[in-house]
Amino acid sequence: MKVIELNRDEYLISVKKIADFKSLSFSKSALEWWDNYYSWEKFPPLCLVNDKKKHVCYLFYTISKDNEYLTIHNLLTPNKHRSFGYAYKLLKYLFSHFSGNKIRRFKMNCVSSSLDFYNKLGLEYWGINNLSQYYCDFKMPISDISEIPQIVKDSNLREISDEKIMQIFEKLKNNGTQLEEKMINKFEESKEKLEGKYHFDLFLKRVDEIK
């Protein structure tokens, strides 16, 4: 297996081969997001290629100008390629590849359908935004993705500046109360998966300290 970078045209050619509608729709949203807000030249998406030379997983990421954050925006494995560990392999590559770049933290917004996967990585969540995405924000692993469970265990919200905490709060403050009914139902259904891993109350305490 190998990891390659895709330019916009290569990405389009690749995702046109996706058969299931949900994955295809997700790939289209990632395309539009990158067209509107980010740079295909500076942050080309990563693609995992299997031994049969098939494109099996895609990852969109950015790094902030000050090297404070690695942000994982989209991670997509089309249905036919799931259950082979491809998403884990691609994330493992990402963290290992940037381990020596002195990036201080990583963050991501996880959709409810991906919670099982991210829970296995050891991630936990500070809250949910109005798009029904669960927010993660932790120290960058020194060398490998396997460090994440210990990083999460040792984490403390005081690691994050007051200014940054308040910026995050603006995105999470509604805590699911303004979601559409369909998303509220998904939020309720996810609570079992989130047990012991959802820390909005702790986040609010940190916000109150700052206020």
Side-chain angles (χ1 to χ4, degrees):
M1 289 195 175
K2 65 179 181 178
V3 175
I4 61 173
E5 294 180 344
L6 299 177
N7 62 36
R8 189 181 189 278
D9 290 339
E10 290 167 338
Y11 176 76
L12 269 175
I13 292 169
S14 179
V15 299
K16 282 181 179 177
K17 300 174 185 177
I18 295 175
D20 67 284
F21 177 78
K22 189 173 181 179
S23 297
L24 186 62
S25 178
F26 189 88
S27 71
K28 182 176 181 291
S29 296
L31 172 76
E32 293 172 348
W33 190 254
W34 236 240
D35 281 348
N36 292 331
Y37 300 105
Y38 297 104
S39 168
W40 288 90
E41 289 74 30
K42 189 172 182 180
F43 297 111
L46 302 179
C47 177
L48 184 67
V49 183
N50 69 8
D51 296 335
K52 297 180 181 179
K53 298 183 179 180
K54 300 289 187 181
H55 291 186
V56 296
C57 190
Y58 308 87
L59 192 158
F60 286 78
Y61 74 94
T62 57
I63 298 172
S64 60
K65 290 181 181 179
D66 57 5
N67 251 30
E68 181 179 9
Y69 275 100
L70 164 69
T71 302
I72 299 165
H73 294 274
N74 293 295
L75 178 61
L76 167 64
T77 306
N79 277 352
K80 68 180 292 185
H81 299 305
R82 292 179 184 173
S83 302
F84 296 99
Y86 294 144
Y88 181 85
K89 288 181 172 66
L90 195 49
L91 270 180
K92 182 179 176 68
Y93 171 87
L94 180 75
F95 282 108
S96 298
H97 184 70
F98 288 110
S99 61
N101 286 43
K102 297 183 179 179
I103 299 169
R104 294 186 286 278
R105 303 186 67 83
F106 74 94
K107 63 181 178 178
M108 61 195 307
N109 290 303
C110 311
V111 297
S112 58
S113 59
S114 299
L115 285 176
D116 287 337
F117 171 72
Y118 290 118
N119 287 350
K120 288 178 183 178
L121 291 182
L123 290 176
E124 298 184 5
Y125 316 92
W126 298 120
I128 185 172
N129 64 21
N130 289 338
L131 297 176
S132 192
Q133 299 167 331
Y134 300 88
Y135 183 77
C136 300
D137 190 324
F138 295 103
K139 286 183 177 178
M140 186 74 174
I142 295 172
S143 60
D144 190 78
I145 195 173
S146 63
E147 300 166 31
I148 287 178
Q150 191 63 46
I151 288 172
V152 172
K153 182 179 179 181
D154 296 340
S155 67
N156 190 305
L157 280 166
R158 289 180 178 81
E159 298 168 355
I160 308 174
S161 70
D162 293 357
E163 179 183 6
K164 181 63 69 174
I165 286 287
M166 297 310 296
Q167 290 174 1
I168 297 169
F169 176 65
E170 285 302 310
K171 298 176 182 178
L172 305 180
K173 61 184 179 183
N174 294 322
N175 193 35
T177 58
Q178 293 189 4
L179 295 173
E180 295 179 1
E181 183 176 354
K182 179 181 178 181
M183 293 301 182
I184 290 175
N185 292 338
K186 285 188 175 182
F187 185 28
E188 292 297 321
E189 291 169 3
S190 298
K191 285 187 175 178
E192 183 175 345
K193 297 178 183 178
L194 293 168
E195 187 174 358
K197 298 177 180 292
Y198 189 76
H199 306 297
F200 186 71
D201 288 344
L202 284 176
F203 185 76
L204 276 186
K205 288 181 181 179
R206 177 76 173 93
V207 169
D208 289 340
E209 288 175 2
I210 296 170
K211 289 181 176 181

